Structures are given as C-alpha cells and as structure tokens.
Amino acid sequence: MRSRLAVWTLGALVCAGGLAFLHPDASARPSEQRHELSTSEPFPDIVHIAPAAKPRTAAVDTIWIATWEHDVGGACSEDGWEHTDSHVLATGTVYWRVDGDFDGLGSVQGDAAVLGYTDEVCFAEPNGYDNVWYQAIRMEYSGAATLSFDYVLDSEGGFDFLQVEVDSACAAADRVDKNVNPVDVPSNYRTNLFSDSGENKTGSVSALVLTDFGTGMHCVYIAFFSDGAFAPSDGLFSTTIGAALVVDGVVVEDASGTRSEDFADGTLDIGTFVEIQASEPFGEWGRTYDHITDNDACTENTTCALLWTDDKTPTIANDPSMAFAPGGYVIRNWLENTMISPWVSLASTPGAQSTRIQFRRFPGNFFSTSRMTANWSVRSRKKVDGIDCVSGWGHAFQNNSLSLFSWLIPSGGNPPNSGYDMSSDFDPSAEYIQVRHRVSDWQFRVGAGPPARHIPGPGPFVDATRVGRIFLSGPVIDEGIDARSQAQDAFPTEIHPGITSGTGEHHRPTTDRFGATAFSRGTELGINYTSPNLITGDSITIEVQDVRGTGGITSVEWHGAIVAGPHAGKAPPPYSVGGNGFFTVIADSSRNPSNG
C-alpha cells in the first residue's frame, strides 16, 4: 500500500554540496540521434540536487551482494566490466520477416514484409518494436527511377517514422568521418524523399521519383526509424497491429527496367533486409588506473578506479588547473562511453524489499565549460519459458553534472552516503541485474549548445561500485527528490479568499507584519514552468509506504517543537504541547497540483 501524506514541519532547508540533476530534451531530432525519455522538466535543469535515495527508515539492514574495487593482487583489474562506445548504435540484428499474418489489411495481399518482434515471452507488448531501431528494405537502382509500394504503419506519431531514403553510390556509411565531425552519421548522406508517422493502415506510395545521381548503382531504402523511448517493448506505447511496419507490392522502375516484389514465394528477391543504424566508432576510453589523482587530500583514493580521460589521441588539459589526472589528460569532447558490470545474481537475498547501488565518485568536470555528464543505470534478466529475457536500461535518462572536485559517495538519501535505491528501475521478479556507468558529452547526448569556453576536466573517476539488498523492519518514508517538499521561512500569510471552501488551502502574503506564517514547502509548484505565476505548495509532504506488506499504513504522526523566537515552547492552535515538549499532528492525505 502506498499513501501520499501531508504534514507540517519545522526545520532548515540544508543544501548538501553535490551534483546538479539534468533532464534531457525530448524534442524530435534528425535520424540516428536518439530521442530520450522526457521528464516533466525542461532541459537543462541545473538546480536540483541529485535525486534522493528512496528508502528513509531507522531500521535498515543492508547486505552487499557485489563489490568491485578494481584491485587484484596489487594490480588494477576491470573485474569483468565491459566497454562500449555508444556512438555505435547498430546491434547487427535484423527484425524483418516474410509471412501472411496481415493478409487483407489495407492493400496487403498474401505474404508481405513485416517488421517487428515475434517474441511472445520477453517483451512488454510482444510483436511490436523496440527503441533505437533503424531497419530497412535495401534495393539498388540506376538512372531515372521511381518507387511504389503499399504499407501498414503503426508507430508513435511524431517520433517513430517510415522513411524512403536514397543514397548515392550506396556509400553513405563510407562518407562518415568521426575525426572531422564526431557526431556525423550515415543518414546525413542519405536523402529523405518520403516520411510518415503514427497509425496508417492504408498507406501507399505511388511512383515516387528517386533522385538521379547519374551513372552507377545507387540505393533506395524503405526504412523504419524509432527513437530512444516509448515503444511497445518498454510498455510506454501500445501497438494496434502487432508490428511496426508491413510492406507489400514493391515496384522499382529504372534504366534497367521494372522489378516487382509481392513476397508470394516467402522471400525478398529484389533487395535485402538490413539494419542501417550508425556503426562507426568514435572511441573507447573507459579503463582502470591506480591512484588517479592526489588533489583531494582529505578523501583521497589511492587505489584503482575507473576513468575516461583520452590517453589515446591524447587530449591534454588546456588549463593548468585541470591537469591533475594521469598524464595531464582530460575528457574528450563528444565522448559517449559506458562501462557495464558483470551480471549479479539476486538469488542469495530472497525477500529483500529494496536494491541499492553505491559508488565513490570524483566528478571533476565543470558542466559550464565541458558539458560532461554522468549516469548510472541498471537492467535485469530472468528466465521465462526457458528464454533469458533481458530488460532495457532503467534510470537511463537521469544524469548528473560533474561540477564538484572531491571524492564523495553520491546520495541524497538517509543515512548519508547510502547510495541510490534502484528498486523501481528494474523488474522486481528479476533473477539477475547488471549496472552501468555512462559518461556523456551533453552536446552529443541531447544536442546541447557548446560551452562558451571549452575547458574540459579529467573527471569523472569512479570506484568501489557495489550492489546491496535491503531488508526493512519498518515502513519506508520518502520526502521526494530532496528537501524541496519540506518547510521554508516565509513572510506572514493568509488563506487566499478566492479559493473555494473545502478545495484546499492556498496561502498568499499578507500586509500584517505580525501575522502567522503557513508552513509552505520550499519549492513552488510551478517549478516545471507550467505557470508564469508563483504558486507555493502549502502542504509539507512525504510518502510513506508499507514495503514489507504488513497490512498497510494505518496512521502517520508528526511531532514538532518550536524552539526559538517569541513562540518558543508553544504550539499552534488547536494543538497543545505534551509532556515530552512536542505537539503532535495527525497527517492528512495531500492533493497534487491538479487537485487530485
């Protein structure tokens, strides 16, 4: 049972030195740039402290089931961690098939080319499609040419697309040069002649004129592109036909004649099924290093840790203050690297109510002069009907800036240095989990503008990653992302007379300098820029959850004491101070900004 509760509280709002919390933009971008799952807040949000660990309870028992120190026998070890260059989006998998499942739908007759999963076991909505797909039917043509075909499309409107693209000499991939343009992709060298998005069960392209690139053979692609979030596989978009795209009745007319494909023989004879996602690497720099830096004497890390500085090009610090890492190397701009842990079994800790990740980090890169960010993610695996089903990455779209220069254990949780609760980021029935550290240039990740001055640092450095399982003997109390939902100092207030009685209490400032002050929360409800007006939340809220499943939350009490000022030792009416010096308030349920 989950209950959202409003309470009054007294206390100071304390901002711990920490990391800004960034949210990506979800606006549509050109092909092969990944669109990322949006939160309710616009890019960039560099106000928030990193998200708080969710469990808050006095009775916690943590069992650490995996730890990676990267030190083995006096030498550095990557402990089975894998490297990836996330500029490479290609998976090498083709999801096309030919069958008669859509016979009679729209203009489809008999067998047709179908793009979609056929896995009935692992995916949230089987027979749909996944994020970050770029799949195509590839055909060649020469001289003046036209293309015709019928299709059925079922995609997320405005974000996932059917496209007809042409490629001079079929050489788009060969034209990509990451040394000249690190964000270059093959689609930059293909011309998009037709596009459709959303649901279209009667689609048709008739005699579409293909670009005449002159002599030689050229390529035309009937392509399907999906962005980075909201697909049937992640459960955030529902399919109506059980596939992304169905193609039938393909006709190509060019200088050599007319070629047609109705898939009647169960095969594609006039072309090939291909993946055309970006496959050109930019570089992998993730590695371990012994005693990375000595500029933080108070919390120094003298053992092996992970770092991502460019030791291959190499990239030397352009400012002496940033030259404190090995070799004076710094992070390479346009970096997009991950390091992925081995799989961790959860079998040793059945009945755990929470799973936590903890690590030490030296951020070491001013966001304003580097645009560098870091992210941790988790994914899960379990066997279903004999098949190993691997989930997508959870917590993949929440990123920290790195504008801090000391070793710390990132956490907004209680107790301090407790890491992050990642229980809600993977399937609770999972048998194994895997964690990932990702370092990204925000320019590449979401198309952010370049820094006014480019002074990259060497961070982040990451050490002592570990996974813990938590057993609770009491309910979980969660104040939210940080203390913004708690009380703030304010001028005297009064209940706004324009609020209908019984629909909530919204306070406004009053001219009575000696009046009472409502316990308003620290951050306005309009932080998401949904209103041009200041809208102060008048409820002090926490969330209490019976994660042990012991019958639900029956009551929540708040105990307060006024300890300074003219009202010290007193209680606001109608409450009274008890023998222990506190007055007690029974918490009530709270409303959200929509009065729900």
Side-chain angles (χ1 to χ4, degrees), residues 163-235:
Q163 298 178 163
V164 176
E165 304 176 32
V166 290
D167 178 4
S168 175
C170 307
D174 297 332
R175 295 185 172 98
V176 173
D177 188 343
K178 296 288 187 180
N179 292 317
V180 175
N181 179 9
V183 295
D184 207 4
V185 288
S187 60
N188 289 340
Y189 303 97
R190 297 193 295 263
T191 302
N192 188 8
L193 301 179
F194 174 83
S195 181
D196 193 8
S197 182
E199 182 179 342
N200 187 346
K201 294 181 179 178
T202 58
S204 180
V205 171
S206 179
L208 178 67
V209 176
L210 306 183
T211 304
D212 186 350
F213 292 111
T215 59
M217 299 301 296
H218 312 288
C219 282
V220 57
Y221 298 90
I222 301 174
F224 178 82
F225 168 78
S226 63
D227 64 12
F230 289 86
S233 63
D234 61 22

Side-chain angles (χ1 to χ4, degrees), residues 490-514:
F491 291 104
T493 58
E494 64 181 5
I495 294 179
H496 197 296
I499 302 298
T500 303
S501 177
T503 62
E505 295 181 351
H506 181 67
H507 291 77
R508 70 179 185 181
T510 178
T511 57
D512 181 4
R513 61 184 297 186
F514 300 107

Side-chain angles (χ1 to χ4, degrees), residues 67 312 358 457 520:
T67 300
K312 297 182 174 66
Q358 184 192 80
S520 297

